[in-house]
């Protein structure tokens, strides 16, 4: 029979790589975050300064603002995607010619690199060359300028995210809806239940695990969004679309104050883990089979 | 269910498909337009093709280098993570290892963490800690191949798990009883049976590595820069080379689309870690 | 993080979910960090040292780990 030693041997390269590039960076950044460290300053040594970086961080209005817009972005984008994705999935349940073809087209955005999505939308939304401002101006007379209007820039990033990720929600919802047993629905129809009642009392409870898993995955991805937004708006105008990831990349990383940058990274990771853990424990874990 | 006229569905889905495809189509339109035409009235239909952007990108030695880097890094990474993921998954499904469920779960947390958080520590480690003499991992293809493991390796393990679970253990146990070495069992019995799952893993990890931008932009300067980072170099404060940017985007998009057509069915399971079956 | 209830003692605690000792340690750390950050922002400017927050967290953490 297999020896345990062999098992660990097979596992060791994976654990080694994940340890070196996943766990060790985390421990390292945790350690650095309690130090004053600027390698390019007059004193390039690391100085232990207790929680000074964190003390500075909780009063950093730029960082707190970026947390706020990230939250707004995640709520708007994920909320719209779930609603839209659910309705599109419903529309896909009926049989019609060319269904597979339309489904394939609908899946295309998923495979696109986030940075490409960003550049595509930049090409479409930039004033003076973009097609979106042009159409808006000549049909409804609205002047869309993502370079100056904070609301416009925020909205475009949300729409971009919806375009990119709604297909994922649609496909997961199709998978969930297709696997529902028909009996409760037939019974409800016999009992004379209305469409709305059927949705609230039968469909929703039954697709709930898949729905929550999808929200969970989309929410995490929305918090991690960097590439698309970086390309499309660069975080501007001002700090309107400077989501946490963009904030770290544009504001924290280029500065050489590594101790403070580490503290920011740790807090963002902390918040992500807490949000995911709350969702996981509170909503998913009791309902799905243990992995 | 009521029967409805299929033309309603077809019309609705044609409209949705138009919205889905338009940005991709527009990318192509911009890439075959001369720069002077960009600022005139947008035309929805192409009347002429202007291929200079394509020749410019293909004749640019820097961009060709980036393309080659992207190809080397994503291919090596995909092969590496598939092999390691396969071995790790084999170990986790066939051996009674202490805390193996925790290991499973812990690998996935590696992928869930926001990459932006790891920019600073990886940058510091690459430039200051992981170095032997003058050789550091910063700006090397090897460094990028290893870094991409952090998100692709958990993915490989999670997508391979159902495949390996589906292969009956009796098969490898019987072979072991017959005197085969564990290595022979893995290479001659389990591997051939797991081939479809391995192919999907290989392709999807390749796409993820090919598409990655943030880590490549931070950890490389020149020698190991990838095509996705080349893209952002054409967006400068003085002005953006729109046509070239669109062309590079097309070049980055095409390989992903080609491989996508191969594994279309598995894409949802892939993107959701199998939490929802696609 | 939280999916191995089989390794801990399954004694009903006051927490609303089933936990093992590692889950409870994790919860304690989460509370410690949250309290410390809020303390730094809201209470420390009033003159109360961060060590008080740490002490409170240690007590709360101990209760959660032993009693959760």
């Amino acid at each position: 029979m297999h020896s345990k030693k062999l098992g660990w041997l097979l596992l060791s390269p994976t654990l080694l790589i994940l340890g070196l590039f996943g766990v060790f960076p985390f421990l390292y950044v945790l350690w650095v975050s309690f130090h004053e460290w600027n390698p390019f300053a007059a004193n390039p040594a690391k100085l232990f300064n207790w929680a000074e970086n964190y003390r500075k961080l909780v009063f950093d209005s730029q960082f707190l603002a970026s947390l706020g817009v990230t939250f707004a972005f995640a709520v708007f984008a994920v909320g719209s995607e779930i609603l839209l994705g659910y309705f599109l999935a419903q529309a896909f349940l009926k049989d019609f010619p060319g269904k597979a073809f339309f489904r394939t087209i609908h899946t295309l955005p998923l495979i696109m690199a986030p940075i490409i999505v960003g550049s595509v939308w930049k090409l479409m939304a930039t004033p003076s060359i973009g097609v979106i401002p042009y159409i808006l101006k000549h049909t409804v007379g609205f002047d869309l300028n993502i370079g100056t209007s904070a609301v416009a820039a925020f909205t475009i990033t949300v729409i971009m995210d919806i375009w990119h990720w709604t297909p994922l929600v649609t496909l997961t919802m199709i998978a969930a809806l297709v696997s529902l047993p028909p009996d409760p629905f037939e019974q409800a129809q016999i009992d004379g239940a209305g469409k709305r009642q059927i949705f609230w009392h039968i469909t929703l409870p039954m697709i709930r695990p898949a729905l929550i898993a999808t929200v969970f995955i989309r929410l995490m991805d929305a918090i991690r969004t960097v590439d698309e937004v970086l390309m499309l708006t660069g975080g501007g105008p001002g700090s309107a679309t400077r989501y946490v990831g963009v904030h770290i990349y544009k504001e924290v990383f280029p500065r050489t104050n590594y101790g403070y940058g580490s503290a920011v990274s740790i807090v963002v990771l902390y918040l992500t883990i807490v949000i995911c853990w709350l969702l996981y424990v509170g909503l998913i874990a009791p309902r799905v089979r243990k992995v | 269910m009521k029967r409805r006229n299929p033309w309603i569905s077809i019309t609705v889905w044609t409209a949705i498909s138009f919205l889905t495809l338009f940005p991709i189509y527009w990318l192509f339109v911009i890439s075959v337009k001369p720069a002077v035409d960009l600022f005139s009235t947008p035309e929805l239909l192409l009347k002429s093709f202007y291929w200079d952007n394509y020749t410019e990108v293909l004749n640019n030695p820097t961009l060709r280098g980036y393309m080659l880097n992207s190809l080397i890094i994503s291919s090596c990474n995909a092969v590496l993570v598939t092999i390691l993921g396969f071995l790790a998954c084999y170990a986790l499904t066939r051996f009674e290892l202490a805390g193996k469920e925790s290991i499973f779960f812990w690998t996935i947390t590696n992928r869930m963490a926001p990459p932006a958080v790891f920019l600073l520590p990886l940058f510091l480690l690459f430039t200051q800690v992981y170095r032997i003499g003058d050789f550091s991992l910063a700006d090397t293809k090897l460094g990028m191949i290893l870094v991409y493991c952090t998100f692709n390796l958990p993915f490989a393990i999670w997508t391979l798990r159902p495949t390996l679970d589906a292969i009956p253990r009796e098969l490898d146990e019987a072979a072991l009883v017959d005197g085969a070495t564990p290595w022979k069992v893995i290479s001659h019995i389990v591997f051939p049976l797991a081939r479809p799952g391995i192919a999907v893993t290989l392709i999807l990890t390749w796409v993820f590595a090919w598409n990655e931008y943030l880590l490549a932009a931070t950890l490389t300067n020149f020698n190991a820069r990838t095509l996705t980072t080349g893209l952002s170099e054409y967006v400068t404060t003085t002005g953006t080379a729109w046509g070239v940017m669109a062309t590079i985007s097309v070049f980055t998009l095409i390989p992903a689309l080609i491989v996508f057509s191969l594994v279309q069915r598995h894409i949802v399971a892939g993107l959701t870690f199998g939490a929802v079956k696609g | 993080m939280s999916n191995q209830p089989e390794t801990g003692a399954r004694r009903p605690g006051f927490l609303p979910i089933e936990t093992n000792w590692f889950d409870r340690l994790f919860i304690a750390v989460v509370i410690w960090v949250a309290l410390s950050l809020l303390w730094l922002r809201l209470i420390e400017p009033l003159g109360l040292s961060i060590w008080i927050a740490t002490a409170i967290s240690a007590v709360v953490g101990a209760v959660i780990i032993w009693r959760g």
Side-chain angles (χ1 to χ4, degrees):
Chain A
M1 283 301 100
H2 288 330
S3 69
K4 278 191 184 173
K5 215 182 266 175
L6 179 68
W8 287 112
L9 190 70
L10 293 173
L11 205 50
S12 56
T14 299
L15 296 181
L16 182 72
I17 289 179
L18 289 181
L20 277 178
F21 297 98
V23 176
F24 189 65
F26 167 73
L27 296 175
Y28 185 71
V29 79
L30 189 64
W31 179 68
V32 171
S33 75
F34 287 99
H35 292 74
E36 168 80 49
W37 184 27
N38 186 344
F40 303 100
N43 180 1
K46 296 190 193 69
L47 301 168
F48 187 70
N49 66 351
W50 293 104
E52 205 51 54
N53 290 319
Y54 292 93
R55 192 166 283 135
K56 191 169 139 198
L57 183 143
V58 292
F59 289 102
D60 183 343
S61 57
Q62 280 200 330
F63 173 66
L64 296 175
S66 84
L67 282 183
V69 286
T70 309
F71 183 71
F73 170 76
V75 168
F76 277 111
V78 177
S80 322
E81 283 156 21
I82 295 288
L83 281 177
L84 205 59
Y86 177 78
F87 285 118
L88 292 179
Q90 281 286 3
F92 257 135
L93 283 184
K94 302 176 192 82
D95 263 322
F96 57 90
K99 189 163 129 173
F101 171 73
F102 285 121
R103 216 175 117 159
T104 308
I105 288 183
H106 192 56
T107 323
L108 279 179
L110 290 179
I111 206 69
M112 289 176 73
I115 187 91
I116 307 288
V117 174
S119 89
V120 168
W121 282 82
K122 191 183 175 75
L123 288 169
M124 293 201 306
T126 304
S128 84
I129 75 151
V131 61
I132 299 175
Y134 179 84
I135 292 174
L136 284 178
K137 192 161 195 175
H138 287 82
T139 53
V140 290
F142 179 74
D143 203 4
L144 182 94
N145 190 334
I146 59 164
T148 53
S149 162
V151 179
F154 179 82
T155 314
I156 284 288
T157 58
V158 171
I159 293 175
M160 172 177 71
D161 201 71
I162 293 172
W163 179 81
H164 195 180
W165 292 110
T166 301
L168 179 76
V169 181
T170 311
L171 295 182
T172 57
M173 288 295 106
I174 290 174
L177 288 170
V178 164
S179 65
L180 294 182
D183 309 5
F185 294 93
E186 283 161 11
Q187 188 57 43
Q189 273 183 335
I190 294 166
D191 293 349
K195 267 194 169 174
R196 194 176 295 175
Q197 280 175 307
I198 291 181
F199 173 75
W200 285 110
H201 295 290
I202 302 175
T203 317
L204 196 60
M206 285 175 86
I207 61 166
R208 194 176 147 140
L211 193 65
I212 288 166
T214 314
V215 172
F216 175 67
I217 288 154
R218 279 302 310 129
L219 207 57
M220 272 174 0
D221 280 353
I223 296 170
R224 324 179 345 148
T225 305
V226 182
D227 308 8
E228 297 106 306
V229 176
L230 199 62
M231 194 69 185
L232 177 59
T233 65
S239 60
T241 56
R242 205 192 283 145
Y243 307 132
V244 262
V246 182
H247 180 74
I248 291 179
Y249 183 76
K250 285 199 78 157
E251 301 295 322
V252 177
F253 189 75
R255 295 198 195 146
T256 48
N257 190 348
Y258 290 146
Y260 182 63
S262 301
V264 172
S265 303
I266 287 290
V267 169
V268 173
L269 189 64
Y270 168 81
L271 290 173
T272 319
I273 292 175
V274 169
I275 292 170
C276 293
W277 184 80
L278 284 176
L279 268 173
Y280 179 82
V281 166
L283 303 168
I284 299 181
R287 284 175 189 82
V288 291
R289 141 188 103 79
K290 294 271 181 283
V291 275
Chain B
M1 283 270 161
K2 283 175 282 183
R3 281 260 156 235
R4 283 206 197 145
N5 190 344
W7 288 106
I8 299 174
S9 292
I10 292 176
T11 318
V12 169
W13 279 104
T14 311
I16 293 169
S17 300
F18 176 76
L19 285 178
T20 309
L21 287 178
F22 183 76
I24 303 171
Y25 168 73
W26 195 248
L27 184 68
F28 180 70
V29 169
I30 297 285
S31 74
V32 292
K33 262 190 189 176
V36 282
D37 286 1
L38 291 178
F39 297 90
S40 59
T41 312
E43 285 162 353
L44 287 181
L45 291 174
L46 280 172
K47 293 193 183 71
S48 62
F49 290 94
Y50 171 84
W51 294 110
D52 282 22
N53 288 324
Y54 284 81
T55 48
E56 192 186 325
V57 168
L58 284 174
N59 289 330
N60 184 329
T62 315
L63 285 174
R64 275 210 310 249
Y66 289 178
M67 245 180 258
L68 192 65
N69 284 344
S70 269
L71 211 57
I72 293 172
I73 291 172
S74 44
S75 305
C76 290
N77 176 262
V79 171
L80 181 71
V81 298
T82 310
I83 293 172
L84 292 185
F86 174 73
L87 294 178
C89 208
Y90 182 78
L92 288 170
T93 53
R94 297 297 196 274
F95 294 82
E96 284 307 317
L97 303 178
K100 63 178 189 174
E101 288 302 331
S102 311
I103 295 175
F104 256 120
F105 195 79
W106 170 74
T107 54
I108 197 111
T109 54
N110 265 293
R111 162 127 185 170
M112 292 193 303
V117 168
F118 283 92
L119 291 179
L120 191 60
L122 283 174
F123 176 75
L124 294 175
L125 287 173
F126 269 37
T127 51
Q128 321 257 341
V129 181
Y130 292 165
R131 57 187 308 156
I132 305 157
D134 277 345
F135 176 79
S136 79
L137 283 175
D139 202 16
T140 59
K141 294 184 195 69
L142 177 69
M144 294 320 292
I145 292 168
L146 290 173
V147 159
Y148 285 178
C149 286
T150 51
F151 58 84
N152 265 343
L153 203 47
F155 174 78
I157 292 173
W158 277 70
T159 42
L160 283 170
R161 187 180 186 181
T163 312
L164 284 175
D165 272 338
I167 298 171
R169 280 147 211 247
E170 292 77 28
L171 273 181
D172 25 323
E173 274 161 22
L176 279 176
V177 170
D178 289 348
T181 59
W183 172 242
K184 202 130 202 180
V185 172
I186 293 174
S187 62
H188 282 70
I189 297 175
V190 182
F191 182 78
L193 286 171
R195 216 177 273 161
I198 287 173
V200 171
T201 311
L202 198 64
I203 284 171
L204 285 176
T205 49
W206 188 88
V207 172
F208 291 141
W210 176 266
N211 283 351
E212 206 281 334
Y213 166 76
L214 199 62
L215 291 166
T218 327
L219 298 174
T220 63
N221 297 318
F222 181 75
N223 291 322
R225 268 185 110 74
T226 57
L227 201 52
T228 48
T229 59
L231 191 62
S232 62
E233 283 170 16
Y234 283 85
V235 184
T236 58
T237 44
T238 49
T240 303
W242 299 100
V244 179
M245 186 177 111
T247 313
I248 302 172
S249 300
V250 171
F251 273 114
T252 317
L253 188 56
I254 287 171
L257 285 183
I258 292 171
V259 296
F260 158 75
S261 59
L262 301 173
V263 292
Q264 204 237 110
R265 261 161 221 290
H266 302 276
I267 200 126
V268 175
L271 288 166
T272 60
F273 277 102
V276 180
K277 287 193 198 77
Chain C
M1 277 182 278
S2 60
N3 63 337
Q4 56 280 59
E6 63 273 4
T7 52
R10 282 197 208 171
R11 164 170 48 88
F14 66 85
L15 291 174
I17 51 164
E18 195 177 284
T19 53
N20 61 22
W21 67 268
F22 184 78
D23 292 337
R24 294 194 288 275
L25 179 69
F26 175 75
I27 294 169
V29 171
V30 164
I31 291 175
W32 172 57
V33 175
L35 186 69
S36 303
L37 288 176
L38 286 173
W39 193 280
L40 282 175
R41 167 86 204 208
L42 300 170
I43 301 178
E44 204 188 41
L46 306 176
L48 289 166
S49 164
I50 184 69
W51 292 109
I52 300 171
T54 313
I56 296 172
S57 307
V59 173
V60 172
V63 170
I64 287 175
I65 290 171
W66 297 121
R67 285 288 152 118

